[in-house]
Amino acid sequence: EEEFVAMWLERLEVQRSWAVYRDGELGGLVTAAQETPVVAVAHCLFAKRFWGHETTLPALRLAFGEIYRDFGVSKISSLAFEDNLQLIHLVRKLGGEKE
């Protein structure tokens, strides 16, 4: 039991979440968890009215920068549907590539 709790407390230390606001309105969420010493997995969700480079690109740049710095990883992994070309383009603007 103590071992289980310790495992989850340790895991919480390598998880982060960011709320994305614009003009006082919540419209996005970015989450990340460290999976290995070199890889973190990130997920993002934005309301459609927040889509576009005005909000999503700066929010992801900020969150990803903190992930690299705070987790000490060299890679961020994320999944996208292959027809979600807007997200794929956005990730490429951040320096991401398809694997």
Side-chain angles (χ1 to χ4, degrees), residues 8-26:
W8 277 104
L9 288 174
E10 183 179 310
R11 184 147 173 84
L12 286 175
E13 291 177 13
V14 291
Q15 293 183 15
R16 296 275 309 268
S17 297
W18 295 261
V20 179
Y21 286 87
R22 183 176 67 203
D23 300 324
E25 178 185 11
L26 175 63

